[in-house]
Amino acid sequence: MKRLFLVGALLCAMLIPAASASAAPTGEFAVFAQCPTEKNLFLCIYNKTTSGTVTTGKKAVPIKNPVILQGGVEVNESTGATQFYGAKNGVTLSKAAQPVPGGLLGVVAPTWWPKFIQDWFNGLINEGFTGVTATVELARPATEVKVDLNALLSELNDPTIIMPVKIKLDNPILGSSCYMGSSASPIYWKLTVGETSPPAPNKPIKGFVGEPETNEDGSILRLSKQRLVDNSFAAPATSGCGGIFSFLVDPLVSSVVGVPSPAGTNTAILEGKMETGYAPSVKASDP
């Protein structure tokens, strides 16, 4: 029944005539302000993650600060293939820093480090520079994000959203270039609303398409309490931590986080609300 509701909502949206275009969507369409409607889109997407957990290696980081994924999806009428385009303002995935439980608390410099580096590192730790935040960023252009509408609307186990990401670790000691993953070698999240099939030791976990609701004419579909999951990805070692001392600090940070960690030992659970808007209606909303 839910599948029929979701598919029916989008079919109804396709029948809605488009009015004259406006500079920016308004009213109930305002949430899609950054949808790139200059493209020949089918849907605008605004996904807000408000809770969940990202676990890499030994560190589980709860999502405390909302993360926004936004853009639009073009559908090839002949093949059914989809193409995602990022937000007009370039902020396709918002950079929301999440506090890492425990931070660097209890970490001390290895005794084999040169004495002056030990003193520098331990001095900073003792001054209270132990808090660490983790921020998920897109590692590749937004056009490399994949959105499978069929997997979403049919509740299949196939990936609903595939994102190439990297995770930035921030701390005065770690510097501004401390990452897990990179643009050249991203972490690929294959998020599903269905059930995962991870390698051991992880066990399958289930996502949830969300509780559906449409506006009056069916041009907006809201999926509240949505749950996107992936526990099949690998997490690489950290790199770039500690600036000029990264050759020393990277192994230490990697050991604290527990990376590299192979596929089947990491998990991403993203919970929140997805809103999709029929793109011609979004573009045509009156100011």
PDB file of all heavy atoms in Angstrom, residues 77-114:
ATOM      1  N   GLU A  77      14.001  10.209 -20.184  1.00  0.00           N
ATOM      2  CA  GLU A  77      12.692   9.647 -20.525  1.00  0.00           C
ATOM      3  C   GLU A  77      12.803   8.356 -21.328  1.00  0.00           C
ATOM      4  O   GLU A  77      11.903   7.522 -21.295  1.00  0.00           O
ATOM      5  CB  GLU A  77      11.879  10.677 -21.300  1.00  0.00           C
ATOM      6  CG  GLU A  77      11.517  11.916 -20.487  1.00  0.00           C
ATOM      7  CD  GLU A  77      10.682  12.902 -21.279  1.00  0.00           C
ATOM      8  OE1 GLU A  77      10.359  12.598 -22.453  1.00  0.00           O
ATOM      9  OE2 GLU A  77      10.364  13.969 -20.738  1.00  0.00           O
ATOM     10  N   SER A  78      13.899   8.184 -22.044  1.00  0.00           N
ATOM     11  CA  SER A  78      14.050   6.981 -22.873  1.00  0.00           C
ATOM     12  C   SER A  78      14.551   5.784 -22.071  1.00  0.00           C
ATOM     13  O   SER A  78      14.061   4.665 -22.225  1.00  0.00           O
ATOM     14  CB  SER A  78      15.022   7.263 -24.023  1.00  0.00           C
ATOM     15  OG  SER A  78      14.543   8.310 -24.840  1.00  0.00           O
ATOM     16  N   THR A  79      15.536   6.035 -21.192  1.00  0.00           N
ATOM     17  CA  THR A  79      16.175   4.930 -20.472  1.00  0.00           C
ATOM     18  C   THR A  79      15.747   4.821 -19.013  1.00  0.00           C
ATOM     19  O   THR A  79      15.935   3.778 -18.389  1.00  0.00           O
ATOM     20  CB  THR A  79      17.703   5.084 -20.520  1.00  0.00           C
ATOM     21  OG1 THR A  79      18.075   6.271 -19.788  1.00  0.00           O
ATOM     22  CG2 THR A  79      18.192   5.200 -21.954  1.00  0.00           C
ATOM     23  N   GLY A  80      15.209   5.912 -18.466  1.00  0.00           N
ATOM     24  CA  GLY A  80      14.856   5.922 -17.046  1.00  0.00           C
ATOM     25  C   GLY A  80      16.034   6.216 -16.142  1.00  0.00           C
ATOM     26  O   GLY A  80      15.892   6.272 -14.914  1.00  0.00           O
ATOM     27  N   ALA A  81      17.219   6.401 -16.729  1.00  0.00           N
ATOM     28  CA  ALA A  81      18.410   6.708 -15.931  1.00  0.00           C
ATOM     29  C   ALA A  81      18.280   8.086 -15.287  1.00  0.00           C
ATOM     30  O   ALA A  81      17.662   8.989 -15.848  1.00  0.00           O
ATOM     31  CB  ALA A  81      19.655   6.654 -16.808  1.00  0.00           C
ATOM     32  N   THR A  82      18.865   8.228 -14.098  1.00  0.00           N
ATOM     33  CA  THR A  82      18.785   9.492 -13.383  1.00  0.00           C
ATOM     34  C   THR A  82      20.152  10.168 -13.308  1.00  0.00           C
ATOM     35  O   THR A  82      21.193   9.509 -13.336  1.00  0.00           O
ATOM     36  CB  THR A  82      18.257   9.290 -11.957  1.00  0.00           C
ATOM     37  OG1 THR A  82      19.145   8.419 -11.239  1.00  0.00           O
ATOM     38  CG2 THR A  82      16.858   8.701 -11.970  1.00  0.00           C
ATOM     39  N   GLN A  83      20.123  11.503 -13.233  1.00  0.00           N
ATOM     40  CA  GLN A  83      21.330  12.299 -13.051  1.00  0.00           C
ATOM     41  C   GLN A  83      21.064  13.320 -11.955  1.00  0.00           C
ATOM     42  O   GLN A  83      20.090  14.063 -12.013  1.00  0.00           O
ATOM     43  CB  GLN A  83      21.732  13.015 -14.340  1.00  0.00           C
ATOM     44  CG  GLN A  83      22.917  13.971 -14.203  1.00  0.00           C
ATOM     45  CD  GLN A  83      24.190  13.252 -13.795  1.00  0.00           C
ATOM     46  OE1 GLN A  83      24.660  12.365 -14.509  1.00  0.00           O
ATOM     47  NE2 GLN A  83      24.752  13.613 -12.654  1.00  0.00           N
ATOM     48  N   PHE A  84      21.923  13.326 -10.945  1.00  0.00           N
ATOM     49  CA  PHE A  84      21.769  14.272  -9.839  1.00  0.00           C
ATOM     50  C   PHE A  84      22.584  15.527 -10.112  1.00  0.00           C
ATOM     51  O   PHE A  84      23.709  15.465 -10.612  1.00  0.00           O
ATOM     52  CB  PHE A  84      22.244  13.626  -8.535  1.00  0.00           C
ATOM     53  CG  PHE A  84      22.121  14.515  -7.324  1.00  0.00           C
ATOM     54  CD1 PHE A  84      20.914  14.617  -6.648  1.00  0.00           C
ATOM     55  CD2 PHE A  84      23.207  15.237  -6.859  1.00  0.00           C
ATOM     56  CE1 PHE A  84      20.803  15.438  -5.520  1.00  0.00           C
ATOM     57  CE2 PHE A  84      23.102  16.055  -5.744  1.00  0.00           C
ATOM     58  CZ  PHE A  84      21.894  16.157  -5.069  1.00  0.00           C
ATOM     59  N   TYR A  85      21.998  16.684  -9.777  1.00  0.00           N
ATOM     60  CA  TYR A  85      22.705  17.962  -9.863  1.00  0.00           C
ATOM     61  C   TYR A  85      22.663  18.625  -8.489  1.00  0.00           C
ATOM     62  O   TYR A  85      21.638  18.578  -7.797  1.00  0.00           O
ATOM     63  CB  TYR A  85      22.057  18.877 -10.903  1.00  0.00           C
ATOM     64  CG  TYR A  85      22.196  18.373 -12.321  1.00  0.00           C
ATOM     65  CD1 TYR A  85      21.152  17.684 -12.943  1.00  0.00           C
ATOM     66  CD2 TYR A  85      23.374  18.573 -13.038  1.00  0.00           C
ATOM     67  CE1 TYR A  85      21.281  17.215 -14.244  1.00  0.00           C
ATOM     68  CE2 TYR A  85      23.508  18.097 -14.338  1.00  0.00           C
ATOM     69  CZ  TYR A  85      22.466  17.424 -14.933  1.00  0.00           C
ATOM     70  OH  TYR A  85      22.595  16.940 -16.209  1.00  0.00           O
ATOM     71  N   GLY A  86      23.777  19.243  -8.118  1.00  0.00           N
ATOM     72  CA  GLY A  86      23.898  19.830  -6.792  1.00  0.00           C
ATOM     73  C   GLY A  86      23.202  21.168  -6.648  1.00  0.00           C
ATOM     74  O   GLY A  86      22.629  21.714  -7.592  1.00  0.00           O
ATOM     75  N   ALA A  87      23.243  21.691  -5.418  1.00  0.00           N
ATOM     76  CA  ALA A  87      22.580  22.947  -5.074  1.00  0.00           C
ATOM     77  C   ALA A  87      23.141  24.113  -5.876  1.00  0.00           C
ATOM     78  O   ALA A  87      24.326  24.150  -6.222  1.00  0.00           O
ATOM     79  CB  ALA A  87      22.755  23.227  -3.582  1.00  0.00           C
ATOM     80  N   LYS A  88      22.274  25.087  -6.168  1.00  0.00           N
ATOM     81  CA  LYS A  88      22.683  26.265  -6.945  1.00  0.00           C
ATOM     82  C   LYS A  88      23.799  27.044  -6.250  1.00  0.00           C
ATOM     83  O   LYS A  88      24.675  27.602  -6.906  1.00  0.00           O
ATOM     84  CB  LYS A  88      21.481  27.186  -7.184  1.00  0.00           C
ATOM     85  CG  LYS A  88      20.484  26.648  -8.167  1.00  0.00           C
ATOM     86  CD  LYS A  88      19.475  27.711  -8.600  1.00  0.00           C
ATOM     87  CE  LYS A  88      18.564  28.118  -7.477  1.00  0.00           C
ATOM     88  NZ  LYS A  88      17.449  28.995  -7.950  1.00  0.00           N
ATOM     89  N   ASN A  89      23.761  27.093  -4.908  1.00  0.00           N
ATOM     90  CA  ASN A  89      24.777  27.863  -4.187  1.00  0.00           C
ATOM     91  C   ASN A  89      26.044  27.063  -3.909  1.00  0.00           C
ATOM     92  O   ASN A  89      26.955  27.541  -3.236  1.00  0.00           O
ATOM     93  CB  ASN A  89      24.205  28.408  -2.879  1.00  0.00           C
ATOM     94  CG  ASN A  89      23.808  27.304  -1.906  1.00  0.00           C
ATOM     95  OD1 ASN A  89      23.941  26.107  -2.200  1.00  0.00           O
ATOM     96  ND2 ASN A  89      23.315  27.694  -0.741  1.00  0.00           N
ATOM     97  N   GLY A  90      26.098  25.835  -4.417  1.00  0.00           N
ATOM     98  CA  GLY A  90      27.287  25.005  -4.250  1.00  0.00           C
ATOM     99  C   GLY A  90      27.319  24.201  -2.964  1.00  0.00           C
ATOM    100  O   GLY A  90      28.190  23.352  -2.783  1.00  0.00           O
ATOM    101  N   VAL A  91      26.377  24.463  -2.052  1.00  0.00           N
ATOM    102  CA  VAL A  91      26.350  23.744  -0.777  1.00  0.00           C
ATOM    103  C   VAL A  91      25.404  22.544  -0.908  1.00  0.00           C
ATOM    104  O   VAL A  91      24.295  22.551  -0.377  1.00  0.00           O
ATOM    105  CB  VAL A  91      25.929  24.664   0.388  1.00  0.00           C
ATOM    106  CG1 VAL A  91      26.079  23.933   1.724  1.00  0.00           C
ATOM    107  CG2 VAL A  91      26.759  25.940   0.393  1.00  0.00           C
ATOM    108  N   THR A  92      25.848  21.562  -1.639  1.00  0.00           N
ATOM    109  CA  THR A  92      25.027  20.374  -1.872  1.00  0.00           C
ATOM    110  C   THR A  92      24.914  19.537  -0.608  1.00  0.00           C
ATOM    111  O   THR A  92      23.838  19.051  -0.261  1.00  0.00           O
ATOM    112  CB  THR A  92      25.621  19.540  -3.012  1.00  0.00           C
ATOM    113  OG1 THR A  92      25.664  20.348  -4.203  1.00  0.00           O
ATOM    114  CG2 THR A  92      24.796  18.289  -3.282  1.00  0.00           C
ATOM    115  N   LEU A  93      26.019  19.368   0.095  1.00  0.00           N
ATOM    116  CA  LEU A  93      26.035  18.684   1.387  1.00  0.00           C
ATOM    117  C   LEU A  93      26.594  19.657   2.409  1.00  0.00           C
ATOM    118  O   LEU A  93      27.760  20.055   2.327  1.00  0.00           O
ATOM    119  CB  LEU A  93      26.903  17.425   1.325  1.00  0.00           C
ATOM    120  CG  LEU A  93      26.940  16.572   2.601  1.00  0.00           C
ATOM    121  CD1 LEU A  93      25.571  15.943   2.863  1.00  0.00           C
ATOM    122  CD2 LEU A  93      28.009  15.483   2.498  1.00  0.00           C
ATOM    123  N   SER A  94      25.778  20.064   3.356  1.00  0.00           N
ATOM    124  CA  SER A  94      26.228  21.065   4.336  1.00  0.00           C
ATOM    125  C   SER A  94      27.316  20.485   5.230  1.00  0.00           C
ATOM    126  O   SER A  94      27.316  19.296   5.550  1.00  0.00           O
ATOM    127  CB  SER A  94      25.047  21.540   5.183  1.00  0.00           C
ATOM    128  OG  SER A  94      24.506  20.478   5.951  1.00  0.00           O
ATOM    129  N   LYS A  95      28.247  21.339   5.621  1.00  0.00           N
ATOM    130  CA  LYS A  95      29.361  20.916   6.461  1.00  0.00           C
ATOM    131  C   LYS A  95      29.013  21.161   7.927  1.00  0.00           C
ATOM    132  O   LYS A  95      29.283  22.230   8.475  1.00  0.00           O
ATOM    133  CB  LYS A  95      30.634  21.658   6.060  1.00  0.00           C
ATOM    134  CG  LYS A  95      31.088  21.353   4.639  1.00  0.00           C
ATOM    135  CD  LYS A  95      32.342  22.126   4.271  1.00  0.00           C
ATOM    136  CE  LYS A  95      32.790  21.833   2.846  1.00  0.00           C
ATOM    137  NZ  LYS A  95      34.011  22.587   2.466  1.00  0.00           N
ATOM    138  N   ALA A  96      28.395  20.171   8.530  1.00  0.00           N
ATOM    139  CA  ALA A  96      27.970  20.272   9.926  1.00  0.00           C
ATOM    140  C   ALA A  96      28.909  19.456  10.804  1.00  0.00           C
ATOM    141  O   ALA A  96      28.932  18.226  10.735  1.00  0.00           O
ATOM    142  CB  ALA A  96      26.532  19.769  10.079  1.00  0.00           C
ATOM    143  N   ALA A  97      29.691  20.140  11.622  1.00  0.00           N
ATOM    144  CA  ALA A  97      30.658  19.470  12.486  1.00  0.00           C
ATOM    145  C   ALA A  97      29.952  18.752  13.630  1.00  0.00           C
ATOM    146  O   ALA A  97      29.078  19.313  14.281  1.00  0.00           O
ATOM    147  CB  ALA A  97      31.653  20.487  13.041  1.00  0.00           C
ATOM    148  N   GLN A  98      30.344  17.505  13.869  1.00  0.00           N
ATOM    149  CA  GLN A  98      29.761  16.694  14.938  1.00  0.00           C
ATOM    150  C   GLN A  98      30.828  16.412  15.997  1.00  0.00           C
ATOM    151  O   GLN A  98      31.940  15.994  15.663  1.00  0.00           O
ATOM    152  CB  GLN A  98      29.240  15.360  14.383  1.00  0.00           C
ATOM    153  CG  GLN A  98      28.411  15.454  13.121  1.00  0.00           C
ATOM    154  CD  GLN A  98      27.100  16.203  13.310  1.00  0.00           C
ATOM    155  OE1 GLN A  98      26.580  16.291  14.411  1.00  0.00           O
ATOM    156  NE2 GLN A  98      26.557  16.763  12.230  1.00  0.00           N
ATOM    157  N   PRO A  99      30.534  16.657  17.276  1.00  0.00           N
ATOM    158  CA  PRO A  99      31.515  16.358  18.336  1.00  0.00           C
ATOM    159  C   PRO A  99      31.836  14.869  18.395  1.00  0.00           C
ATOM    160  O   PRO A  99      30.936  14.031  18.359  1.00  0.00           O
ATOM    161  CB  PRO A  99      30.805  16.819  19.618  1.00  0.00           C
ATOM    162  CG  PRO A  99      29.694  17.710  19.165  1.00  0.00           C
ATOM    163  CD  PRO A  99      29.285  17.222  17.808  1.00  0.00           C
ATOM    164  N   VAL A 100      33.123  14.549  18.475  1.00  0.00           N
ATOM    165  CA  VAL A 100      33.558  13.159  18.575  1.00  0.00           C
ATOM    166  C   VAL A 100      33.656  12.790  20.052  1.00  0.00           C
ATOM    167  O   VAL A 100      34.461  13.390  20.781  1.00  0.00           O
ATOM    168  CB  VAL A 100      34.920  12.949  17.892  1.00  0.00           C
ATOM    169  CG1 VAL A 100      35.398  11.507  18.085  1.00  0.00           C
ATOM    170  CG2 VAL A 100      34.835  13.289  16.407  1.00  0.00           C
ATOM    171  N   PRO A 101      32.861  11.851  20.543  1.00  0.00           N
ATOM    172  CA  PRO A 101      32.912  11.477  21.959  1.00  0.00           C
ATOM    173  C   PRO A 101      34.319  11.064  22.389  1.00  0.00           C
ATOM    174  O   PRO A 101      34.961  10.237  21.742  1.00  0.00           O
ATOM    175  CB  PRO A 101      31.948  10.283  22.049  1.00  0.00           C
ATOM    176  CG  PRO A 101      30.999  10.493  20.922  1.00  0.00           C
ATOM    177  CD  PRO A 101      31.825  11.091  19.814  1.00  0.00           C
ATOM    178  N   GLY A 102      34.794  11.683  23.457  1.00  0.00           N
ATOM    179  CA  GLY A 102      36.121  11.340  23.970  1.00  0.00           C
ATOM    180  C   GLY A 102      37.239  12.142  23.373  1.00  0.00           C
ATOM    181  O   GLY A 102      38.268  12.368  24.019  1.00  0.00           O
ATOM    182  N   GLY A 103      37.054  12.612  22.123  1.00  0.00           N
ATOM    183  CA  GLY A 103      38.098  13.408  21.476  1.00  0.00           C
ATOM    184  C   GLY A 103      39.457  12.736  21.551  1.00  0.00           C
ATOM    185  O   GLY A 103      39.596  11.539  21.285  1.00  0.00           O
ATOM    186  N   LEU A 104      40.469  13.497  21.957  1.00  0.00           N
ATOM    187  CA  LEU A 104      41.822  12.970  22.106  1.00  0.00           C
ATOM    188  C   LEU A 104      42.165  12.700  23.566  1.00  0.00           C
ATOM    189  O   LEU A 104      43.333  12.521  23.915  1.00  0.00           O
ATOM    190  CB  LEU A 104      42.842  13.966  21.526  1.00  0.00           C
ATOM    191  CG  LEU A 104      42.786  14.201  20.012  1.00  0.00           C
ATOM    192  CD1 LEU A 104      43.800  15.262  19.614  1.00  0.00           C
ATOM    193  CD2 LEU A 104      43.051  12.922  19.240  1.00  0.00           C
ATOM    194  N   LEU A 105      41.140  12.696  24.416  1.00  0.00           N
ATOM    195  CA  LEU A 105      41.369  12.520  25.842  1.00  0.00           C
ATOM    196  C   LEU A 105      42.117  11.215  26.108  1.00  0.00           C
ATOM    197  O   LEU A 105      41.763  10.154  25.615  1.00  0.00           O
ATOM    198  CB  LEU A 105      40.034  12.493  26.581  1.00  0.00           C
ATOM    199  CG  LEU A 105      40.081  12.692  28.096  1.00  0.00           C
ATOM    200  CD1 LEU A 105      40.644  14.061  28.430  1.00  0.00           C
ATOM    201  CD2 LEU A 105      38.694  12.523  28.692  1.00  0.00           C
ATOM    202  N   GLY A 106      43.168  11.302  26.906  1.00  0.00           N
ATOM    203  CA  GLY A 106      43.943  10.123  27.263  1.00  0.00           C
ATOM    204  C   GLY A 106      45.052   9.786  26.286  1.00  0.00           C
ATOM    205  O   GLY A 106      45.828   8.857  26.516  1.00  0.00           O
ATOM    206  N   VAL A 107      45.159  10.545  25.190  1.00  0.00           N
ATOM    207  CA  VAL A 107      46.197  10.284  24.195  1.00  0.00           C
ATOM    208  C   VAL A 107      47.500  10.956  24.627  1.00  0.00           C
ATOM    209  O   VAL A 107      47.507  12.114  25.054  1.00  0.00           O
ATOM    210  CB  VAL A 107      45.777  10.828  22.816  1.00  0.00           C
ATOM    211  CG1 VAL A 107      46.892  10.644  21.808  1.00  0.00           C
ATOM    212  CG2 VAL A 107      44.521  10.116  22.339  1.00  0.00           C
ATOM    213  N   VAL A 108      48.597  10.240  24.534  1.00  0.00           N
ATOM    214  CA  VAL A 108      49.916  10.811  24.823  1.00  0.00           C
ATOM    215  C   VAL A 108      50.850  10.479  23.676  1.00  0.00           C
ATOM    216  O   VAL A 108      50.660   9.490  22.959  1.00  0.00           O
ATOM    217  CB  VAL A 108      50.516  10.269  26.142  1.00  0.00           C
ATOM    218  CG1 VAL A 108      49.693  10.724  27.333  1.00  0.00           C
ATOM    219  CG2 VAL A 108      50.611   8.756  26.116  1.00  0.00           C
ATOM    220  N   ALA A 109      51.845  11.309  23.497  1.00  0.00           N
ATOM    221  CA  ALA A 109      52.809  11.093  22.424  1.00  0.00           C
ATOM    222  C   ALA A 109      53.635   9.839  22.701  1.00  0.00           C
ATOM    223  O   ALA A 109      54.047   9.601  23.842  1.00  0.00           O
ATOM    224  CB  ALA A 109      53.727  12.305  22.298  1.00  0.00           C
ATOM    225  N   PRO A 110      53.882   9.020  21.680  1.00  0.00           N
ATOM    226  CA  PRO A 110      54.735   7.842  21.862  1.00  0.00           C
ATOM    227  C   PRO A 110      56.143   8.242  22.299  1.00  0.00           C
ATOM    228  O   PRO A 110      56.672   9.290  21.897  1.00  0.00           O
ATOM    229  CB  PRO A 110      54.754   7.212  20.466  1.00  0.00           C
ATOM    230  CG  PRO A 110      53.520   7.731  19.790  1.00  0.00           C
ATOM    231  CD  PRO A 110      53.331   9.114  20.322  1.00  0.00           C
ATOM    232  N   THR A 111      56.753   7.418  23.119  1.00  0.00           N
ATOM    233  CA  THR A 111      58.081   7.749  23.657  1.00  0.00           C
ATOM    234  C   THR A 111      59.166   7.701  22.591  1.00  0.00           C
ATOM    235  O   THR A 111      60.259   8.253  22.801  1.00  0.00           O
ATOM    236  CB  THR A 111      58.446   6.775  24.798  1.00  0.00           C
ATOM    237  OG1 THR A 111      58.359   5.427  24.307  1.00  0.00           O
ATOM    238  CG2 THR A 111      57.488   6.942  25.969  1.00  0.00           C
ATOM    239  N   TRP A 112      58.868   7.067  21.445  1.00  0.00           N
ATOM    240  CA  TRP A 112      59.899   7.010  20.408  1.00  0.00           C
ATOM    241  C   TRP A 112      59.955   8.269  19.570  1.00  0.00           C
ATOM    242  O   TRP A 112      60.850   8.448  18.749  1.00  0.00           O
ATOM    243  CB  TRP A 112      59.697   5.783  19.510  1.00  0.00           C
ATOM    244  CG  TRP A 112      58.370   5.689  18.840  1.00  0.00           C
ATOM    245  CD1 TRP A 112      57.280   5.027  19.298  1.00  0.00           C
ATOM    246  CD2 TRP A 112      57.992   6.270  17.584  1.00  0.00           C
ATOM    247  NE1 TRP A 112      56.229   5.161  18.420  1.00  0.00           N
ATOM    248  CE2 TRP A 112      56.637   5.914  17.352  1.00  0.00           C
ATOM    249  CE3 TRP A 112      58.639   7.057  16.642  1.00  0.00           C
ATOM    250  CZ2 TRP A 112      55.941   6.317  16.224  1.00  0.00           C
ATOM    251  CZ3 TRP A 112      57.948   7.461  15.509  1.00  0.00           C
ATOM    252  CH2 TRP A 112      56.614   7.101  15.307  1.00  0.00           C
ATOM    253  N   TRP A 113      58.978   9.167  19.765  1.00  0.00           N
ATOM    254  CA  TRP A 113      59.030  10.458  19.076  1.00  0.00           C
ATOM    255  C   TRP A 113      60.203  11.282  19.614  1.00  0.00           C
ATOM    256  O   TRP A 113      60.593  11.130  20.780  1.00  0.00           O
ATOM    257  CB  TRP A 113      57.744  11.245  19.318  1.00  0.00           C
ATOM    258  CG  TRP A 113      56.563  10.813  18.505  1.00  0.00           C
ATOM    259  CD1 TRP A 113      56.453   9.711  17.718  1.00  0.00           C
ATOM    260  CD2 TRP A 113      55.307  11.491  18.425  1.00  0.00           C
ATOM    261  NE1 TRP A 113      55.206   9.650  17.140  1.00  0.00           N
ATOM    262  CE2 TRP A 113      54.480  10.726  17.552  1.00  0.00           C
ATOM    263  CE3 TRP A 113      54.789  12.653  18.985  1.00  0.00           C
ATOM    264  CZ2 TRP A 113      53.174  11.105  17.245  1.00  0.00           C
ATOM    265  CZ3 TRP A 113      53.489  13.027  18.680  1.00  0.00           C
ATOM    266  CH2 TRP A 113      52.690  12.263  17.821  1.00  0.00           C
ATOM    267  N   PRO A 114      60.745  12.174  18.797  1.00  0.00           N
ATOM    268  CA  PRO A 114      61.767  13.100  19.306  1.00  0.00           C
ATOM    269  C   PRO A 114      61.237  13.865  20.510  1.00  0.00           C
ATOM    270  O   PRO A 114      60.063  14.229  20.568  1.00  0.00           O
ATOM    271  CB  PRO A 114      62.020  14.023  18.115  1.00  0.00           C
ATOM    272  CG  PRO A 114      61.649  13.201  16.927  1.00  0.00           C
ATOM    273  CD  PRO A 114      60.499  12.337  17.364  1.00  0.00           C
TER     274      PRO A 114
END
